[in-house]
Amino acid sequence: MAAAPSSLFDVLLCHVSDEHDDLPGLSFWNPAARSYDTVPYKEMAQRAFAFGSRLVGSDRANGSVCLIACHSPYATLVAFLGAISVASVPMILPMPRALGSQQALAERIEHWAAKFNRPCSLVLEQGLEEKFHSAVPAALTIFRVSDSPLAECDTTSQPAWDRVGDEKDIAFFQTTSSSTGEHKAVAISHNNVLSNVRGIRNAVGMDGNEKMISWLPLFHDMGLVGAVLFSLCNGYPLYLMTPTQFLKRPALWLRGISEKRCSITTAPNFGYDYCSRLVSAKDAQALDLSCVKHFFIGAEPIRVSTIRGFCQKFATAGVRSHMIRPAYGLAESTIITTISRPNGEARFIRLDAASVGLGQEVRVLKDAGLPPNSADHADADTYVTVCTAGSAIDGMRISLADEAGETIEQNGCAGEIVIQGDSVALGYVTGGPKLIDRFNHKQTRTGDMGVIIDGELFIIERIKNVIIRSGENFLVSAMEQRLADVLQISHENVAVFESNIHDPGSEIVVLIEKHSSLAPDQIDSVLRALSAESIPVDVILLHRARVIPRTTSGKKRHFFCRQLFLNGALSFQQKIEVSPDRIASASLHGSA
């Protein structure tokens, strides 16, 4: 594409005008054929324009809202790009598997349909009837789209809307994985997307010959912007799987990289850890991942053990630690805010846990690259290990603020991360006449605690996930990791939360899932470990099933854990009260 586009509409026009009909575009994994079905970008734009014509014909263009509730990535993107082509504002909704139930999706559709005082449409898959369909509000105009890239479909090279969108116009609404339980979304402009795409590409020096693969959900900013729109704007071939296909066979993701010679991919910490644990040694031996320039990792805390485990598991496939590219982003900044530059392996630092607090200078105990295995858990009660998130991409600025909201000027002091720049979303979606609660000066506070050292941002914790007891700060993520170590389970199955965040003396509760009940001697052993490591815990709850509430992107919802606990609705099969007397008794049994 020659001229730089000023909107996503321009990007689609550029692809339609491309003389090469057979250039690679979007390829969708077909499990029945065990291959990818490819739709060139030119044809994808033509199909999107045809869908846009349907919206115009039903008076659902130019400022209307297009809710999309499809399982198929193909159907989702035809509707999404088609809506953009006629200035309808698309919003991709998580499906029942991600939300937990058909009812949850029905409630979400009803919520958003009632929010807007403008026409709304809903896109569903052709020929598919689901339980939530019976609860769709009558006011919504329903459109059906085929779920197969191979099905016959309408195409047109002429968009149904001749107005070229302004770069400051709303491109789409992005839902956020809020842990507070609220239905939240941000308004993303065309300029937000194009600025972010440009910033990512420049930050790591990509050229025009990259290939990308992704299994991330399209309702999430990492999947939609970080994979699809990034590839679309750059003209990169993109191979797409669904999250379910990845979870069933994680080797498919890596095999796709190997066979298609992909140079870029992205996943949260969970994805890399999942592959390290579940991809067989035989499958790993058959891979060649040396083609990868960037394994982007973000969206959740980045763990030393995950990066090391992935590099070790797939070392024979050509994976090296310098390929791992930590990043920090959120829906409020379109996707990426900071990226570590490709000049060496990820940088980790160890912070004195007692020195961590808003406005406090943190004490660095060690500054290194990937530390050896033996150093992972030594003196874990005194430090927390955090990974670099790199520095801000072009057009973005990072600063830190104290509890009063004042900017922290001193290097090495922890504070709330504040982001500002061209990638910052327009604001939160409110609906009604106002539509958006706009961010002032392209700036917003993130709710994340971080520290800037030598120009690099290190993410410490969600601010609300810091527990203070007797003047001492305890990071929830560190507590969960230490408790997981004690029980020899994954930290993913442990949730720590306060029963009342406004009461400094409230109970600290530990919810452990996918774990059988403990025998008396096992309880004593756990209590002795808690005492030895000075972990402040009041109640331990165990359940054999998966019961920790999670966001659509897989993050633990500590807010809902607290809410369920207070309502007496938190499922557990064993409850262990942790008291000084009980710990003393366990210590006596241990010394007997």
Side-chain angles (χ1 to χ4, degrees):
M1 294 180 287
S6 60
S7 70
L8 292 175
F9 180 73
D10 284 350
V11 173
L12 292 174
L13 284 176
C14 288
H15 282 301
V16 163
S17 63
D18 197 315
E19 296 179 358
H20 303 283
D21 292 343
D22 59 345
L23 284 179
L26 297 171
S27 298
F28 304 88
W29 176 251
N30 183 334
R34 299 193 58 77
S35 61
Y36 286 93
D37 298 330
T38 299
V39 181
Y41 281 129
K42 180 172 184 174
E43 186 173 345
M44 194 70 188
Q46 291 170 332
R47 297 183 187 191
F49 287 169
F51 179 79
S53 297
R54 294 172 60 190
L55 292 176
V56 170
S58 298
D59 196 25
R60 289 297 182 268
N62 190 22
S64 69
V65 176
C66 182
L67 303 176
I68 303 171
C70 299
H71 297 276
S72 159
Y74 167 74
T76 298
L77 292 176
V78 168
F80 180 87
L81 297 174
I84 283 177
S85 75
V86 293
S88 179
V89 183
M91 174 190 283
I92 302 174
L93 300 174
M95 293 302 285
R97 183 184 293 272
L99 291 172
S101 69
Q102 298 267 351
Q103 180 61 30
L105 176 55
E107 290 174 356
R108 191 159 292 207
I109 291 172
E110 183 179 12
H111 168 84
W112 286 114
K115 270 282 188 186
F116 304 107
N117 63 343
R118 57 184 63 201
C120 280
S121 57
L122 175 66
V123 182
L124 305 173
E125 281 150 310
Q126 189 174 314
L128 182 64
E129 294 298 325
E130 297 190 81
K131 290 180 180 178
F132 75 87
H133 291 179
S134 61
V136 170
L140 285 174
T141 302
I142 295 178
F143 293 88
R144 295 280 186 166
V145 178
S146 172
D147 65 352
S148 172
L150 301 180
E152 290 188 13
C153 62
D154 294 332
T155 62
T156 177
S157 295
Q158 296 298 319
W161 194 251
D162 58 5
R163 172 179 171 271
V164 176
D166 187 272
E167 63 178 15
K168 296 179 182 178
D169 287 348
I170 300 170
F172 61 93
F173 294 143
Q174 174 67 60
T175 59
T176 71
S177 54
S178 170
S179 60
T180 64
E182 301 174 58
H183 296 299
K184 293 180 69 175
V186 291
I188 305 295
S189 73
H190 292 276
N191 185 58
N192 287 154
V193 176
L194 298 177
S195 295
N196 207 256
V197 166
R198 186 167 53 249
I200 296 169
R201 176 168 172 163
N202 292 344
V204 293
M206 295 181 190
D207 58 34
N209 301 309
E210 313 291 356
K211 292 183 183 179
M212 193 169 191
I213 189 168
S214 175
W215 52 266
L216 300 171
L218 299 184
F219 61 78
H220 193 276
D221 48 15
M222 186 183 270
L224 178 61
V225 182
V228 174
L229 297 183
F230 182 79
S231 298
L232 177 77
C233 292
N234 284 306
Y236 296 157
L238 172 63
Y239 299 87
L240 284 171
M241 302 166 52
T242 67
T244 301
Q245 290 163 349
F246 167 76
L247 290 173
K248 286 182 177 179
R249 296 195 64 190
L252 283 177
W253 176 43
L254 303 181
R255 191 174 300 153
I257 295 173
S258 180
E259 293 176 356
K260 302 301 180 181
R261 309 312 294 157
C262 294
S263 56
I264 314 167
T265 193
T266 184
N269 190 92
F270 153 77
Y272 295 99
D273 187 56
Y274 194 71
C275 286
S276 298
R277 290 186 287 110
L278 296 185
V279 173
S280 70
K282 180 181 179 182
D283 282 341
Q285 287 287 339
L287 299 170
D288 177 7
L289 305 178
S290 61
C291 53
V292 178
K293 298 177 185 176
H294 312 289
F295 280 110
F296 288 110
I297 179 171
E300 58 188 36
I302 301 170
R303 299 181 183 273
V304 179
S305 57
T306 295
I307 293 181
R308 182 192 301 110
F310 186 78
C311 291
Q312 290 178 345
K313 177 67 175 279
F314 301 103
T316 57
V319 173
R320 301 294 181 264
S321 58
H322 69 267
M323 299 176 178
I324 309 297
R325 198 78 59 239
Y328 170 68
L330 57 162
E332 287 82 350
S333 66
T334 307
I335 173 61
I336 294 295
T337 307
T338 65
I339 297 180
S340 60
R341 300 317 196 243
N343 55 1
E345 64 182 22
R347 179 185 176 192
F348 286 87
I349 59 174
R350 287 190 187 144
L351 306 178
D352 180 355
S355 71
V356 175
L358 285 176
Q360 297 181 17
E361 184 175 1
V362 298
R363 181 167 172 258
V364 178
L365 300 177
K366 187 170 183 179
D367 185 343
L370 207 58
N373 278 301
S374 60
D376 271 3
H377 306 300
D379 300 323
D381 57 329
T382 63
Y383 73 80
V384 58
T385 302
V386 292
C387 180
T388 181
S391 53
I393 63 172
D394 291 348
M396 290 294 290
R397 178 176 176 270
I398 298 293
S399 61
L400 302 177
D402 60 19
E403 290 181 277
E406 297 296 325
T407 301
I408 297 172
E409 302 292 350
Q410 183 180 347
N411 185 51
C413 278
E416 180 178 5
I417 301 168
V418 179
I419 59 175
Q420 184 176 28
D422 295 334
S423 293
V424 173
L426 298 176
Y428 289 114
V429 179
T430 59
K434 187 178 179 182
L435 187 61
I436 305 171
D437 183 9
R438 289 184 176 266
F439 297 139
N440 292 325
H441 310 296
K442 299 182 180 180
Q443 176 177 298
T444 187
R445 298 171 68 160
T446 66
D448 293 323
M449 182 192 297
V451 61
I452 297 174
I453 297 176
D454 301 329
E456 291 185 80
L457 176 67
F458 293 82
I459 313 299
I460 299 174
E461 180 63 280
R462 288 292 295 172
I463 290 173
K464 61 189 175 186
N465 283 350
V466 176
I467 293 175
I468 303 174
R469 283 298 181 272
S470 302
E472 188 173 357
N473 298 322
F474 294 90
L475 305 183
V476 166
S477 61
M479 291 177 69
E480 289 172 347
Q481 182 64 63
R482 284 150 59 191
L483 287 160
D485 293 340
V486 168
L487 293 166
Q488 296 184 322
I489 59 176
S490 170
H491 65 87
E492 295 285 351
N493 303 121
V494 182
V496 175
F497 58 94
E498 293 176 279
S499 60
N500 185 346
I501 59 174
H502 303 294
D503 179 5
S506 66
E507 291 182 315
I508 298 176
V509 183
V510 181
L511 176 59
I512 299 167
E513 65 179 8
K514 302 176 78 171
H515 200 293
S516 58
S517 298
L518 298 176
D521 61 326
Q522 293 175 309
I523 295 175
D524 287 344
S525 177
V526 170
L527 295 180
R528 288 194 296 271
L530 293 179
S531 177
E533 296 199 25
S534 301
I535 305 175
V537 170
D538 299 295
V539 179
I540 300 175
L541 307 175
L542 294 103
H543 198 290
R544 290 187 180 90
R546 183 180 170 95
V547 292
I548 295 174
R550 288 173 166 82
T551 68
T552 54
S553 58
K555 299 175 186 175
K556 287 175 275 193
R557 306 183 95 167
H558 297 84
F559 170 87
F560 276 112
C561 287
R562 180 181 304 110
Q563 189 176 55
L564 292 170
F565 179 78
L566 293 176
N567 293 337
L570 192 60
S571 298
F572 60 89
Q573 291 170 316
Q574 184 181 27
K575 181 177 182 179
I576 303 170
E577 301 280 359
V578 182
S579 65
D581 289 344
R582 186 69 184 82
I583 291 176
S585 174
S587 298
L588 285 174
H589 292 160
S591 60

